[in-house]
Coordinates of all heavy atoms in Angstrom, one line a residue:
T1 N 29.2 81.7 8.5 CA 29.8 82.2 7.3 C 30.6 81.1 6.7 O 31.6 80.5 7.3 CB 30.7 83.4 7.6 OG1 30.0 84.4 8.2 CG2 31.4 83.9 6.4
P2 N 30.3 80.7 5.5 CA 31.1 79.6 4.8 C 32.6 80.0 4.7 O 32.9 81.2 4.6 CB 30.5 79.5 3.4 CG 29.0 79.9 3.6 CD 29.1 81.0 4.6
F3 N 33.5 79.0 4.7 CA 34.9 79.3 4.6 C 35.3 80.0 3.3 O 34.6 79.7 2.3 CB 35.7 78.1 4.9 CG 35.5 76.9 4.0 CD1 36.1 76.8 2.7 CD2 34.7 75.8 4.4 CE1 35.9 75.7 1.9 CE2 34.5 74.7 3.6 CZ 35.1 74.7 2.3
A4 N 36.3 80.7 3.3 CA 36.8 81.4 2.1 C 37.6 80.3 1.3 O 38.2 79.4 1.8 CB 37.8 82.5 2.5
T5 N 37.4 80.5 -0.1 CA 38.1 79.6 -1.0 C 38.9 80.4 -2.0 O 38.5 81.6 -2.2 CB 37.2 78.6 -1.7 OG1 36.2 79.4 -2.5 CG2 36.4 77.8 -0.7
A6 N 39.8 79.8 -2.7 CA 40.5 80.4 -3.8 C 40.9 79.3 -4.8 O 41.2 78.2 -4.4 CB 41.8 81.1 -3.3
N7 N 40.9 79.7 -6.0 CA 41.2 78.7 -7.1 C 42.7 78.5 -7.2 O 43.4 79.0 -8.1 CB 40.6 79.1 -8.4 CG 39.1 79.0 -8.5 OD1 38.5 78.4 -7.6 ND2 38.5 79.5 -9.5
T8 N 43.2 77.7 -6.2 CA 44.7 77.5 -6.2 C 45.0 76.0 -6.4 O 46.2 75.7 -6.4 CB 45.2 77.9 -4.8 OG1 44.6 77.2 -3.8 CG2 45.1 79.4 -4.6
G9 N 44.0 75.1 -6.5 CA 44.3 73.7 -6.8 C 44.3 73.4 -8.2 O 43.4 73.7 -9.0
K10 N 45.4 72.8 -8.7 CA 45.6 72.5 -10.1 C 45.1 71.1 -10.4 O 45.6 70.1 -9.8 CB 47.0 72.7 -10.6 CG 47.1 72.6 -12.1 CD 48.5 73.1 -12.6 CE 48.4 72.9 -14.1 NZ 49.4 73.6 -14.8
V11 N 44.1 71.0 -11.3 CA 43.5 69.7 -11.7 C 43.6 69.7 -13.2 O 42.9 70.4 -13.9 CB 42.0 69.6 -11.3 CG1 41.4 68.3 -11.9 CG2 41.9 69.6 -9.8
G12 N 44.6 69.0 -13.7 CA 44.9 69.0 -15.2 C 45.3 70.4 -15.6 O 46.2 71.0 -15.0
D13 N 44.5 71.0 -16.5 CA 44.8 72.4 -17.0 C 43.9 73.4 -16.3 O 43.9 74.5 -16.6 CB 44.6 72.5 -18.5 CG 45.6 71.6 -19.3 OD1 46.7 71.5 -18.8 OD2 45.2 71.1 -20.4
H14 N 43.2 73.0 -15.2 CA 42.2 73.8 -14.6 C 42.7 74.1 -13.1 O 43.3 73.3 -12.5 CB 40.8 73.2 -14.5 CG 40.3 72.8 -15.9 ND1 39.7 73.7 -16.7 CD2 40.3 71.7 -16.6 CE1 39.3 73.2 -17.8 NE2 39.7 71.9 -17.8
M15 N 42.3 75.3 -12.7 CA 42.5 75.7 -11.3 C 41.2 75.6 -10.6 O 40.1 76.1 -11.1 CB 43.0 77.1 -11.2 CG 44.4 77.3 -11.9 SD 45.7 76.3 -11.3 CE 46.0 77.0 -9.7
V16 N 41.1 74.9 -9.5 CA 39.9 74.6 -8.7 C 40.0 75.2 -7.3 O 41.0 75.4 -6.8 CB 39.6 73.1 -8.7 CG1 39.4 72.6 -10.1 CG2 40.6 72.3 -8.0
A17 N 38.8 75.3 -6.7 CA 38.7 75.9 -5.4 C 39.3 75.0 -4.4 O 39.1 73.8 -4.3 CB 37.2 76.1 -5.1
M18 N 40.1 75.7 -3.5 CA 40.7 75.1 -2.3 C 40.3 75.9 -1.1 O 40.3 77.1 -1.2 CB 42.2 75.0 -2.5 CG 42.7 74.2 -3.6 SD 42.3 72.5 -3.5 CE 43.4 72.0 -2.1
P19 N 40.0 75.3 0.0 CA 39.8 73.8 0.1 C 38.4 73.4 -0.5 O 37.6 74.3 -0.8 CB 39.8 73.6 1.6 CG 39.4 74.9 2.2 CD 39.8 76.0 1.3
H20 N 38.3 72.1 -0.7 CA 37.0 71.6 -1.2 C 36.8 70.2 -0.5 O 37.7 69.7 0.1 CB 36.9 71.5 -2.7 CG 37.9 70.6 -3.3 ND1 39.1 71.1 -3.8 CD2 38.0 69.3 -3.5 CE1 39.8 70.1 -4.3 NE2 39.2 69.0 -4.1
F21 N 35.6 69.7 -0.7 CA 35.4 68.3 -0.1 C 34.5 67.6 -1.2 O 34.1 68.1 -2.2 CB 34.6 68.3 1.2 CG 33.2 68.7 1.1 CD1 32.2 67.7 1.2 CD2 32.8 70.0 1.0 CE1 30.9 68.1 1.1 CE2 31.5 70.4 0.9 CZ 30.5 69.4 1.0
G22 N 34.3 66.3 -0.9 CA 33.5 65.5 -1.9 C 33.5 64.1 -1.5 O 33.7 63.7 -0.4
V23 N 33.2 63.3 -2.6 CA 33.1 61.8 -2.4 C 33.6 61.1 -3.6 O 33.6 61.7 -4.7 CB 31.6 61.5 -2.1 CG1 30.7 61.8 -3.3 CG2 31.4 60.1 -1.6
V24 N 34.0 59.9 -3.4 CA 34.3 59.0 -4.6 C 33.2 58.0 -4.7 O 32.9 57.3 -3.8 CB 35.7 58.3 -4.3 CG1 36.0 57.3 -5.4 CG2 36.8 59.3 -4.1
L25 N 32.7 57.9 -5.9 CA 31.6 57.0 -6.3 C 32.2 56.0 -7.3 O 33.1 56.2 -8.0 CB 30.4 57.7 -6.9 CG 29.8 58.8 -6.1 CD1 28.7 59.5 -6.9 CD2 29.2 58.2 -4.8
D26 N 31.5 54.8 -7.4 CA 31.8 53.9 -8.5 C 31.3 54.6 -9.8 O 30.4 55.4 -9.8 CB 31.3 52.5 -8.3 CG 29.8 52.4 -8.2 OD1 29.1 53.2 -8.8 OD2 29.3 51.4 -7.6
K27 N 31.9 54.2 -10.9 CA 31.6 54.9 -12.2 C 30.2 54.9 -12.6 O 29.6 56.0 -13.0 CB 32.5 54.3 -13.3 CG 32.4 55.1 -14.6 CD 33.0 56.5 -14.4 CE 33.2 57.2 -15.8 NZ 32.0 57.5 -16.6
P28 N 29.4 53.8 -12.4 CA 28.0 53.9 -12.8 C 27.2 54.9 -11.9 O 26.4 55.6 -12.5 CB 27.5 52.5 -12.6 CG 28.7 51.6 -12.8 CD 29.8 52.4 -12.2
D29 N 27.5 55.0 -10.6 CA 26.8 55.9 -9.8 C 27.3 57.4 -10.1 O 26.5 58.3 -10.0 CB 27.1 55.6 -8.3 CG 26.3 54.4 -7.8 OD1 25.3 54.0 -8.5 OD2 26.7 53.8 -6.8
W30 N 28.5 57.5 -10.5 CA 29.0 58.9 -10.9 C 28.3 59.3 -12.1 O 27.8 60.5 -12.2 CB 30.5 58.8 -11.1 CG 31.1 60.1 -11.4 CD1 31.6 61.1 -10.6 CD2 31.4 60.7 -12.7 NE1 32.1 62.2 -11.2 CE2 32.0 62.0 -12.6 CE3 31.1 60.3 -14.0 CZ2 32.3 62.8 -13.6 CZ3 31.5 61.1 -15.1 CH2 32.1 62.3 -14.9
D31 N 28.1 58.4 -13.1 CA 27.4 58.8 -14.3 C 25.9 59.2 -14.0 O 25.4 60.2 -14.6 CB 27.4 57.6 -15.3 CG 28.7 57.3 -15.9 OD1 29.6 58.2 -16.0 OD2 29.0 56.1 -16.3
K32 N 25.3 58.5 -13.1 CA 23.9 58.8 -12.7 C 23.9 60.2 -12.0 O 23.0 61.0 -12.2 CB 23.4 57.8 -11.7 CG 23.0 56.5 -12.4 CD 22.6 55.5 -11.3 CE 22.5 54.1 -11.9 NZ 22.3 53.0 -10.9
M33 N 25.0 60.5 -11.2 CA 25.0 61.8 -10.5 C 25.2 62.9 -11.5 O 24.7 64.0 -11.4 CB 26.2 61.8 -9.5 CG 26.2 63.1 -8.7 SD 24.7 63.5 -7.7 CE 24.7 62.3 -6.5
V34 N 26.0 62.7 -12.6 CA 26.2 63.7 -13.6 C 24.8 64.0 -14.2 O 24.5 65.2 -14.4 CB 27.2 63.2 -14.7 CG1 27.1 64.1 -15.9 CG2 28.6 63.1 -14.2
A35 N 24.1 63.0 -14.6 CA 22.7 63.2 -15.1 C 21.8 63.9 -14.2 O 21.1 64.9 -14.6 CB 22.1 61.9 -15.5
R36 N 21.9 63.6 -12.9 CA 21.0 64.2 -11.9 C 21.4 65.7 -11.8 O 20.5 66.6 -11.7 CB 21.2 63.5 -10.6 CG 20.4 64.0 -9.5 CD 20.7 63.2 -8.2 NE 19.7 63.5 -7.2 CZ 18.9 62.6 -6.6 NH1 19.1 61.3 -6.8 NH2 18.0 63.0 -5.7
L37 N 22.7 66.0 -11.7 CA 23.1 67.4 -11.5 C 22.8 68.2 -12.8 O 22.4 69.4 -12.7 CB 24.6 67.5 -11.2 CG 25.0 66.9 -9.8 CD1 26.5 66.8 -9.6 CD2 24.3 67.6 -8.7
T38 N 23.0 67.6 -13.9 CA 22.8 68.3 -15.2 C 21.3 68.6 -15.3 O 20.9 69.8 -15.7 CB 23.2 67.4 -16.4 OG1 24.6 67.2 -16.3 CG2 22.9 68.1 -17.7
E39 N 20.4 67.7 -15.0 CA 19.0 67.9 -15.0 C 18.6 69.0 -14.0 O 17.6 69.8 -14.3 CB 18.2 66.6 -14.6 CG 16.7 66.7 -14.7 CD 16.0 65.4 -14.4 OE1 16.5 64.4 -14.9 OE2 15.0 65.4 -13.7
A40 N 19.3 69.1 -12.9 CA 19.0 70.1 -11.9 C 19.5 71.5 -12.3 O 19.3 72.5 -11.6 CB 19.5 69.7 -10.5
G41 N 20.3 71.6 -13.4 CA 20.8 72.8 -13.8 C 22.0 73.3 -13.0 O 22.3 74.5 -13.0
I42 N 22.8 72.4 -12.4 CA 23.9 72.8 -11.7 C 25.0 73.5 -12.6 O 25.2 73.0 -13.7 CB 24.5 71.6 -10.9 CG1 23.6 71.1 -9.9 CG2 25.9 71.9 -10.4 CD1 23.2 72.0 -8.8
D43 N 25.5 74.6 -12.1 CA 26.6 75.3 -12.8 C 27.9 74.6 -12.4 O 28.4 74.9 -11.3 CB 26.5 76.8 -12.5 CG 27.6 77.6 -13.2 OD1 28.0 77.1 -14.3 OD2 27.9 78.7 -12.7

């Protein structure tokens, strides 16, 4: 069973799910990932 999350993390004006995980990419690779995820229809 995946862990429970709640939108309690404030990022700018947005509340985001906590806890969360991820990765830091260099900007060109981040831009490519945006295109890849957009093409895949990620919400």
Side-chain angles (χ1 to χ4, degrees):
T1 303
F3 58 81
T5 63
N7 287 353
T8 59
K10 188 165 183 167
V11 175
D13 295 329
H14 303 277
M15 299 303 288
V16 298
M18 295 296 292
H20 62 264
F21 74 101
V23 66
V24 176
L25 301 175
D26 64 26
K27 187 64 167 69
D29 287 339
W30 185 86
D31 290 334
K32 290 176 190 170
M33 184 59 69
V34 170
R36 183 181 192 125
L37 294 172
T38 300
E39 183 178 317
I42 294 301
D43 182 23

